Amino acid sequence: MMFDDSNEVVAELMHKIQLHVMPRRVRCREFFNDFDPLRSGRCSEANFARALGNLGMRFTEDETKMLATHFTQYGPKVSKPSVVNYMHFCAEVDKIFADEETHENMKSMMMTSSPGSTVMSTFIPNTMEEHFMHVLHRVAVLCKAKGVVIKPLYTDLDRSAVPSPSMLNSRRSGKVTRDQFKRNWPFKKEMDPEDLELLCDRYATPAGDVHFMALHNEVSEVMPDPAQPFPTSPLHLRPDSTEWAHQEVSVVQRIQAKVVEKRMRLKEHFQDFDALRKGLCTPGQVKAVFTILNLSREIDRNDFETLLSLYMQDDGLFNYQAFVLDVDRAFTTPGLERDPLAMTDMPGAEQTSPARRNPMRLSPSKQAKIGKLEDRIRTFIRKRRVLMRPMFQDFDKCHRGYITRNQFSRIMSMMNIELDEKAIGYLCNTYCDLGNHNDFNWKRFMIAVDPPAEDVESAMLEMTSPFIAFRPKSYFNDRGRVLGKSMSMPML
């Protein structure tokens, strides 16, 4: 082993400690730490004996003294009574965990999840081996035909043959008594008692128990794979040849529209990652800025790669200063201070439209068909005086202005407006303007098929606009003549 032949007794004692430690996965050093508060790696002979007792070893006084003498350390820095080098002792014991050959030889003593691989059977094969294989295949066929698994039948009855301090539950040893094995056997009517006795003898342990986990493992090897093929329905997306408006808009214009809509400032967020104000950052920092500003939902991976290719330098850094200048052109005009007479306009709905809408590109023939459908629905509403807005509002609980395509079809059916699936598809091609085929913009649809009257529209505009009190003209009278300065001042 790891010791000289002159000290065979110590080698045998160390082997017993290793046999005790390995199946329980015990680390010896933890039992010595309480006796070495200064962590010097040494303890007294009495404390060494106490640690061995706590470890679970029962040695005689002479054996303990022999081990302590073997690991006694001598030197100028060693002071009595702490002379036993327990660190060297623990290192020698822990070598068992790195020895693969010893692992293979000691598998029968270890607690494993599959005890069938470590069982030592007392049954010696003889002329009845062929009969036993026939019985084993018969058990496998019965398990397959009736869907029986042997392991769960005895799980609640097994008891551990090797105690382990790391496992509070004493189950999962894979062994039950002979009577328990016969009592829970599921094929009593299909098999003769002699065959059952043969199985008990085949999987018997030296203690008289029956190793049901070994039987379970061997039956599982004989049985085919339980995972039988079953029909699946994988997702196959249909090719979408629809042309969207965002395909013709660059990624910079879309980000610019979103920034204008939310009135965001990009420069300060980029400067948080640029302490030296060089105007450069890494692609990961660009992605972090877009995530903070909630712009990552507006662009996909291909758009992000396109954006990086536009502003990436040769050194691999992103020139965010040029990117911010291009985006801020929607708010300001570069060099405006050089032209004092220039007039700038505030961004309107047209500039923010790429951020809010993504309609389909329709051919003139489709637009003509959609126009006929709108005229048909508009005529139906005008003749029957139908009020459709409340029905759309009932389906739009969140007041987003959008409903699903199926909900739109249900509303048309409830209004007795006969539209086939093809007609509904044409209308959805026009009013599904969020880049998908499902979200239907019912407010735009209502403006097209049921526009309000001019007086109603003006009244709604007056109700929603701020109040403006009447104020007479300061420089003209009722006849349109210019008033003098003294007469016009009191009227201000």
Side-chain angles (χ1 to χ4, degrees):
M1 281 187 53
M2 59 195 73
F3 299 97
D4 299 337
D5 295 337
S6 60
N7 205 349
E8 296 180 358
V9 179
V10 175
E12 184 178 355
L13 295 177
M14 291 296 297
H15 185 62
K16 289 183 180 180
I17 297 175
Q18 290 175 342
L19 293 179
H20 177 80
V21 165
M22 184 178 177
R24 295 163 175 79
R25 299 297 179 183
V26 177
R27 294 297 180 180
C28 301
R29 184 175 178 179
E30 299 177 358
F31 295 91
F32 291 94
N33 288 335
D34 295 338
F35 304 109
D36 185 17
L38 299 180
R39 297 298 185 268
S40 62
R42 299 183 301 273
C43 64
S44 63
E45 185 177 344
N47 291 335
F48 183 78
R50 293 191 187 96
L52 289 179
N54 296 336
L55 188 61
M57 304 304 301
R58 298 295 179 264
F59 291 149
T60 62
E61 186 177 353
D62 295 338
E63 293 174 344
T64 305
K65 188 174 182 179
M66 189 177 300
L67 283 173
T69 305
H70 182 80
F71 290 101
T72 300
Q73 183 178 355
Y74 301 95
K77 297 183 180 180
V78 179
S79 59
K80 295 183 180 181
S82 300
V83 294
V84 181
N85 192 338
Y86 70 85
M87 293 291 293
H88 181 52
F89 168 77
C90 296
E92 294 294 337
V93 173
D94 290 343
K95 286 183 179 180
I96 191 63
F97 296 107
D99 192 353
E100 296 182 358
E101 182 179 357
T102 309
H103 269 258
E104 295 295 331
N105 297 333
M106 296 182 61
K107 270 188 175 181
S108 59
M109 300 187 60
M110 296 176 61
M111 298 282 293
T112 61
S113 59
S114 180
S117 60
T118 62
V119 61
M120 298 182 61
S121 175
T122 58
F123 180 78
I124 301 175
N126 49 20
T127 56
M128 299 183 63
E129 184 68 19
E130 295 181 359
H131 179 61
F132 166 73
M133 294 303 299
H134 172 71
V135 173
L136 185 63
H137 280 272
R138 187 180 178 187
V139 172
V141 171
L142 289 173
C143 291
K144 178 182 177 182
K146 296 190 176 184
V148 177
V149 182
I150 297 177
K151 179 180 177 180
L153 299 175
Y154 301 99
T155 303
D156 295 337
L157 300 176
D158 62 346
R159 53 190 175 84
S160 177
V162 181
S164 176
S166 62
M167 295 181 58
L168 299 179
N169 192 358
S170 61
R171 296 179 179 177
R172 301 188 182 183
S173 64
K175 305 179 184 67
V176 293
T177 61
R178 200 180 188 93
D179 294 337
Q180 291 174 344
F181 183 81
K182 293 180 180 180
R183 183 168 65 248
N184 286 24
W185 183 248
F187 309 121
K188 297 178 181 178
K189 296 182 180 179
E190 292 82 358
M191 296 182 61
D192 297 334
E194 294 79 7
D195 296 339
L196 184 57
E197 291 291 340
L198 180 63
L199 290 176
C200 294
D201 295 338
R202 174 66 175 83
Y203 297 102
T205 62
D209 299 330
V210 178
H211 212 308
F212 70 89
M213 273 300 301
L215 175 62
H216 170 76
N217 293 339
E218 294 188 6
V219 169
S220 301
E221 293 177 0
V222 176
M223 289 179 61
D225 187 8
Q228 300 295 328
F230 55 91
T232 59
S233 179
L235 176 63
H236 297 285
L237 297 177
R238 296 181 180 178
D240 190 6
S241 60
T242 306
E243 297 181 359
W244 301 93
H246 277 185
Q247 296 177 357
E248 302 177 359
V249 181
S250 63
V251 59
V252 178
Q253 292 178 351
R254 275 184 280 156
I255 295 176
Q256 185 184 53
K258 201 66 180 179
V259 168
V260 172
E261 179 190 2
K262 294 186 176 182
R263 298 297 191 269
M264 294 183 297
R265 294 184 61 87
L266 300 177
K267 186 176 182 180
E268 286 76 6
H269 292 82
F270 280 107
Q271 286 180 348
D272 291 341
F273 297 99
D274 184 17
L276 301 179
R277 300 297 187 267
K278 291 185 177 181
L280 304 175
C281 64
T282 62
Q285 293 170 349
V286 177
K287 187 177 296 184
V289 171
F290 286 167
T291 304
I292 293 172
L293 296 176
N294 203 14
L295 293 176
S296 57
R297 299 186 304 174
E298 309 299 329
I299 57 176
D300 54 6
R301 181 179 300 177
N302 297 329
D303 294 336
F304 185 74
E305 295 294 335
T306 303
L307 183 65
L308 292 180
S309 63
L310 293 175
Y311 297 96
M312 188 71 73
Q313 295 189 155
D314 296 336
D315 55 357
L317 296 178
F318 182 83
N319 190 350
Y320 75 84
Q321 189 172 5
F323 170 69
V324 171
L325 288 177
D326 292 342
V327 173
D328 287 346
R329 292 181 186 274
F331 296 101
T332 60
T333 302
L336 184 62
E337 66 278 358
R338 300 177 183 177
D339 191 1
L341 300 180
M343 300 292 294
T344 58
D345 298 330
M346 290 293 294
E350 295 181 357
Q351 295 183 351
T352 60
S353 178
R356 296 180 290 107
R357 302 286 182 264
N358 186 17
M360 302 181 190
R361 296 300 185 187
L362 303 176
S363 61
S365 59
K366 278 190 176 182
Q367 292 179 0
K369 294 178 181 178
I370 293 170
K372 293 181 181 180
L373 288 173
E374 291 177 350
D375 292 339
R376 176 183 166 190
I377 298 174
R378 193 180 299 111
T379 303
F380 179 86
I381 294 173
R382 187 181 299 111
K383 286 184 178 180
R384 301 200 179 185
R385 310 288 293 177
V386 178
L387 190 61
M388 300 180 64
R389 181 174 291 270
M391 304 190 68
F392 284 106
Q393 290 176 346
D394 291 341
F395 284 96
D396 187 13
K397 300 295 184 181
C398 298
H399 304 288
R400 295 175 54 246
Y402 289 88
I403 58 175
T404 63
R405 176 172 178 164
N406 293 333
Q407 290 173 347
F408 173 73
S409 177
R410 289 175 57 187
I411 291 175
M412 294 295 102
S413 177
M414 292 165 61
M415 300 296 298
N416 294 327
I417 301 177
E418 298 180 359
L419 295 177
D420 56 358
E421 190 65 26
K422 191 174 182 180
I424 292 176
Y426 282 142
L427 292 175
C428 290
N429 290 341
T430 303
Y431 297 103
C432 290
D433 53 7
L434 289 184
N436 56 55
H437 299 272
N438 192 44
D439 293 332
F440 187 87
N441 191 339
W442 66 268
K443 288 188 176 180
R444 280 185 54 209
F445 175 75
M446 289 298 302
I447 294 174
V449 301
D450 190 13
E454 295 182 1
D455 54 349
V456 176
E457 189 173 0
S458 60
M460 293 175 62
L461 182 62
E462 291 178 0
M463 290 178 61
T464 55
S465 61
F467 174 75
I468 301 176
F470 175 75
R471 185 178 183 182
K473 299 296 183 180
S474 304
Y475 302 102
F476 302 94
N477 57 9
D478 296 340
R479 296 184 180 183
R481 295 180 180 180
V482 179
L483 299 176
K485 184 175 181 180
S486 61
M487 298 179 60
S488 59
M489 289 296 293
M491 300 180 64
L492 292 175

